[in-house]
């Protein structure tokens, strides 16, 4: 495998000379492999059947570099057909709206919205507007919108609060299955990761049939620091850029992680999966620093586990779920997909200049491949 990686690395370095769009390639295109499980068709959270992702990217003038990313558990009326959900806090220096109700009831009733720190309120308003757009929700008087954030204030005029509720609705309405755009898009437009340009990243894992054949998908919004590792290679150390040394900001920052699965797991085991996502973050060199908001939102789309809004005549719910003894494969899938999603966010991101002339360079892929070829 090491020899194959060297060959692929040398081939990739050569292709950089003729391919101006090389920054859009994903880590696997350069020969990296993360873990032992295989990704799904798109290697994205949308490999979990029914899950959709939409972006609204706001790039205006010299200072607006922000946006919204929406993750839909399914394409129907989520408020009427809620999904099992859980939240895990790796480090709580952040603002994740809607968590207490998810913790209390174990379900999610809206799209999951990601944006910047000072636009959480706009995310809530947009999520409410979307929920109210369904005629069958005409009598609804309470909506628990889940909104996560990271602080993009280095590249973006964050105090201008340029994200509006209409942008949130637009992100939701643009959501689709299939390939997911990564890098400088949506909520990842103005983010920074390990001192390089961060962004949106995604990945998935498909368990073998003997482990249930389930799919786990992860989407991340990366805006944090540490000592970057790529597939076990200590690139941050080799390159001399890591927390507390030659970094644009300190190690502080945030990472929003969304985990989806079609496995029949309820809130308790979803939370156990969410905890493993933080282990995936750690494999990339993230350190969950004091000022970092590292949150995981997890949900299941499994048939038979949805929670109806109208519970009339349904005093008892009959639900089948995976036995604890069979959760380990899902744990591994979550760790691997989280690690790769974070690295994909770096590989897809491009250089950006923003607020007050601040500049952030993308991950120097040529340097990464040179170090990789030496392994």
């Amino acid at each position: 495998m090491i020899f194959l990686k060297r060959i692929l690395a040398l081939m990739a370095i050569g292709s950089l000379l003729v391919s101006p769009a090389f920054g859009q390639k994903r880590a696997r295109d350069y020969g990296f492999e993360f873990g032992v499980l295989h990704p799904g068709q798109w290697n994205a959270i949308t490999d979990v059947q029914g899950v959709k992702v939409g972006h609204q990217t706001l790039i205006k003038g010299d200072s607006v570099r922000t946006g919204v990313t929406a993750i839909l558990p399914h394409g129907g009326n989520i408020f009427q057909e809620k999904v099992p959900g859980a939240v895990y806090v790796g480090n709580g220096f952040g603002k994740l709206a809607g968590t207490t109700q998810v913790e209390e009831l174990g379900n999610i009733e809206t799209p999951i919205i990601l944006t910047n720190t000072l636009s959480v309120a706009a995310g809530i308003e947009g999520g409410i507007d979307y929920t109210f757009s369904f005629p069958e929700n005409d009598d609804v008087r309470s909506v628990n919108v889940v909104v996560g954030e990271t602080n993009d204030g280095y590249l973006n005029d964050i105090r201008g609060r340029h994200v509006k509720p209409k942008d949130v609705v637009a992100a939701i309405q643009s959501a689709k299955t299939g390939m997911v755009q990564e890098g400088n898009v949506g909520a990842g437009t103005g983010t920074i990761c390990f001192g390089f340009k961060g962004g949106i990243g995604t990945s998935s894992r498909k368990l073998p049939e003997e482990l249930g054949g389930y799919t786990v998908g992860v989407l991340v919004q990366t805006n944090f620091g540490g000592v970057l590792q790529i597939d076990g290679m200590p690139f941050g150390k080799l390159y001399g850029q890591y927390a507390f040394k030659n970094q644009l900001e300190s190690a502080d920052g945030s990472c929003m992680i969304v985990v989806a699965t079609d496995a029949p797991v309820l809130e308790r085991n979803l939370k156990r999966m969410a905890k493993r996502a933080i282990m995936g973050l750690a494999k990339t060199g993230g350190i969950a620093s004091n000022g970092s908001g590292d949150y995981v939102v997890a949900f299941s789309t499994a048939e038979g586990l949805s929670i109806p809004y109208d519970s009339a005549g349904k005093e008892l719910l009959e639900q089948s779920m995976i036995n604890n003894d069979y959760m380990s494969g899902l744990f591994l899938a979550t760790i691997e997909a989280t690690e790769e999603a974070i690295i994909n966010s770096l590989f897809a991101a491009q250089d950006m200049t923003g607020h007050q002339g601040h500049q952030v360079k993308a991950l120097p892929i040529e340097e990464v491949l040179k170090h990789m070829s030496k392994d």
Side-chain angles (χ1 to χ4, degrees), residues 14-15 17 21 48 81 114 140 144 187 227 238 240 255 280-281 296 327 342:
S15 71
L17 302 177
V48 178
E81 290 295 329
L114 305 180
V140 171
N144 186 58
V227 185
L238 294 171
C255 188
L281 182 148
V296 188
M327 286 296 300
I342 291 170

Side-chain angles (χ1 to χ4, degrees), residues 139-194:
D139 293 331
V140 171
R141 297 290 182 269
S142 174
V143 183
N144 186 58
V145 187
V146 176
V147 185
E149 54 79 27
T150 69
N151 194 313
D152 58 15
Y154 186 80
L155 286 169
N156 175 51
D157 172 27
I158 193 168
R159 286 173 61 92
R161 289 176 284 178
H162 300 281
V163 172
K164 306 300 180 185
K166 66 178 182 178
D167 298 312
V168 178
V169 174
I172 296 171
Q173 292 178 337
S174 72
K176 60 183 184 299
T177 59
M179 293 182 66
V180 176
Q181 194 175 3
E182 299 174 293
N184 302 4
V185 295
T189 301
T191 62
I192 303 168
C193 188
F194 295 110

Side-chain angles (χ1 to χ4, degrees), residues 85-92 96 99 102-103 108 112 114 146 148 217-220 255-260 270-281 293-299 334 338 342:
V87 172
Y88 180 70
V89 181
N91 194 73
L96 178 55
T99 57
V102 175
E103 283 283 289
I108 293 172
I112 298 163
L114 305 180
V146 176
V218 174
L219 182 141
V220 297
C255 188
M256 279 300 311
I257 305 172
V258 179
V259 178
L270 283 169
K271 180 163 235 177
R272 297 177 75 203
M273 290 176 64
K275 291 178 181 179
R276 271 64 179 187
I278 296 297
M279 297 172 70
L281 182 148
D294 303 310
Y295 296 93
V296 188
V297 180
F299 63 86
T334 302
T338 302
I342 291 170

Side-chain angles (χ1 to χ4, degrees), residues 26 28 38-53 55 71 176-182 200-206 215-220 258-262 299 333 337-338 340-341 344:
R26 310 178 82 187
R28 280 181 181 265
H38 295 295
Q41 179 182 1
W42 305 108
N43 194 14
I45 194 171
T46 48
D47 284 319
V48 178
Q49 187 172 5
V51 174
K52 297 183 176 183
V53 175
H55 301 297
I71 302 93
K176 60 183 184 299
T177 59
M179 293 182 66
V180 176
Q181 194 175 3
E182 299 174 293
I200 296 297
T202 189
S203 183
S204 70
R205 291 296 184 273
K206 175 81 172 177
T215 299
V216 175
V218 174
L219 182 141
V220 297
V258 179
V259 178
T261 185
D262 58 6
F299 63 86
T338 302
E340 185 167 357
N344 279 339

